[in-house]
């Protein structure tokens, strides 16, 4: 089974993702996505993402390895985020976890099959989400506040109730406490198996 952590920006997806990987009894393997965006401070290539240039993205695309690709026309130019079939996912043998968007979840589900992919939708109140995004951006050497605002506003459309319903996302995890949310998701994964 492949569990897709999805949600608007700054809902705690990265933190929840890391804590779920630390839950040894879940036996989850990490699927690392790819991106052409610049690496942030404190990120590690091959951990948060595989950071690649456009040439490498094009090579993967020509070889038919890209499962899904999303391009965002950011305030700093186009940034691509994508999932690659790099022969590391043995979906019939192990359980995996990945972070993505609603769009990436739908394409991954189409690629691997509906019965093999499960959404984990995280939600946070908008004011708190905006404050978290601002706090994270302030820590960057070159904060990109205009991109933060673009993403925040785009999230309302990208994760509208209509789109969530169309994608079959029914279960919502409210992240008002990381430990509580991680426990709820862990129990959900155990029950879902």
């Amino acid at each position: 089974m492949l569990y897709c952590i999805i949600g608007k920006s700054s809902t705690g997806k990265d933190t929840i993702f890391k804590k779920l990987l630390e839950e040894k009894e879940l036996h989850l393997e990490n699927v690392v996505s790819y991106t052409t965006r610049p690496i942030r401070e404190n990120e590690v290539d091959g951990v948060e993402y595989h950071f690649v240039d456009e040439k490498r993205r094009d090579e993967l695309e020509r070889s038919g390895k890209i499962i899904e690709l999303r391009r965002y026309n950011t305030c700093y130019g186009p940034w691509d985020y994508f999932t690659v079939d790099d022969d590391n996912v043995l979906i019939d043998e192990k359980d995996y976890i990945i972070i993505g968007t609603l769009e990436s979840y739908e394409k991954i589900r189409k690629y691997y099959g509906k019965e093999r992919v499960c959404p984990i939708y995280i939600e946070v109140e908008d004011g708190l989400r905006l404050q978290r995004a601002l706090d994270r951006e302030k820590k960057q050497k070159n904060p990109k506040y205009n991109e933060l605002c673009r993403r925040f506003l785009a999230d309302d459309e990208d994760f509208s109730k209509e789109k969530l319903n169309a994608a079959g996302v029914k279960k919502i995890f409210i992240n008002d406490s990381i430990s509580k949310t991680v426990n709820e998701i862990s129990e959900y994964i155990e029950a879902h198996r």
Side-chain angles (χ1 to χ4, degrees), residues 3 19-29 95 97 182 185-187 189-190 193:
Y3 298 94
K19 291 197 176 290
L20 289 170
L21 280 173
E22 291 171 3
E23 298 277 331
K24 297 301 179 197
E25 65 277 359
L26 292 177
H27 305 288
L28 295 172
E29 302 275 333
D95 289 331
I97 191 167
V182 169
I185 294 170
S186 295
E187 290 171 7
I189 289 172
E190 288 289 1
R193 289 182 166 152

Side-chain angles (χ1 to χ4, degrees), residues 70-124:
R70 294 152 280 129
R71 174 164 291 145
Y72 298 100
N73 293 314
T74 74
C75 300
Y76 300 93
W79 292 349
D80 294 336
Y81 293 82
F82 48 104
T83 306
V84 174
D85 185 351
D86 51 14
D87 300 320
N88 290 324
V89 176
L90 306 170
I91 201 159
D92 292 323
E93 298 174 23
K94 298 178 180 180
D95 289 331
Y96 295 88
I97 191 167
I98 189 171
I99 298 176
T101 64
L102 186 59
E103 179 186 355
S104 67
Y105 158 69
E106 291 179 293
K107 290 178 181 177
I108 290 167
R109 182 183 64 181
K110 183 177 180 182
Y111 185 83
Y112 285 113
K114 187 176 183 177
E115 68 286 348
R116 293 179 170 152
V117 181
C118 177
I120 306 287
Y121 178 62
I122 313 294
E123 201 168 88
V124 169

Side-chain angles (χ1 to χ4, degrees), residues 12-158:
K13 296 183 302 290
D14 291 322
T15 302
I16 290 168
F17 175 83
K18 288 174 185 171
K19 291 197 176 290
L20 289 170
L21 280 173
E22 291 171 3
E23 298 277 331
K24 297 301 179 197
E25 65 277 359
L26 292 177
H27 305 288
L28 295 172
E29 302 275 333
N30 181 11
V31 177
V32 181
S33 298
Y34 289 66
T35 186
T36 59
R37 81 153 164 77
I39 192 168
R40 292 180 184 144
E41 285 183 50
N42 301 321
E43 287 183 323
V44 177
D45 185 33
V47 176
E48 286 81 10
Y49 291 97
H50 294 289
F51 293 92
V52 299
D53 58 17
E54 288 80 8
K55 181 181 175 189
R56 179 67 179 135
R57 179 211 53 220
D58 292 345
E59 290 169 0
L60 290 165
E61 198 161 31
R62 278 192 302 276
S63 67
K65 295 284 192 181
I66 295 182
I67 296 172
E68 60 84 25
L69 184 142
R70 294 152 280 129
R71 174 164 291 145
Y72 298 100
N73 293 314
T74 74
C75 300
Y76 300 93
W79 292 349
D80 294 336
Y81 293 82
F82 48 104
T83 306
V84 174
D85 185 351
D86 51 14
D87 300 320
N88 290 324
V89 176
L90 306 170
I91 201 159
D92 292 323
E93 298 174 23
K94 298 178 180 180
D95 289 331
Y96 295 88
I97 191 167
I98 189 171
I99 298 176
T101 64
L102 186 59
E103 179 186 355
S104 67
Y105 158 69
E106 291 179 293
K107 290 178 181 177
I108 290 167
R109 182 183 64 181
K110 183 177 180 182
Y111 185 83
Y112 285 113
K114 187 176 183 177
E115 68 286 348
R116 293 179 170 152
V117 181
C118 177
I120 306 287
Y121 178 62
I122 313 294
E123 201 168 88
V124 169
E125 185 273 323
D126 279 346
L128 178 56
R129 197 167 62 81
L130 184 57
Q131 187 61 57
R132 287 179 179 178
L134 186 59
D135 290 345
R136 179 176 67 189
E137 203 59 36
K138 281 180 181 178
K139 295 176 185 172
Q140 300 300 311
K141 189 179 289 185
N142 298 305
K144 296 176 172 64
Y145 297 115
N146 48 357
E147 177 57 20
L148 177 156
C149 293
R150 184 204 64 80
R151 285 183 63 199
F152 186 84
L153 294 172
D155 279 341
D156 279 341
E157 182 180 337
D158 293 345

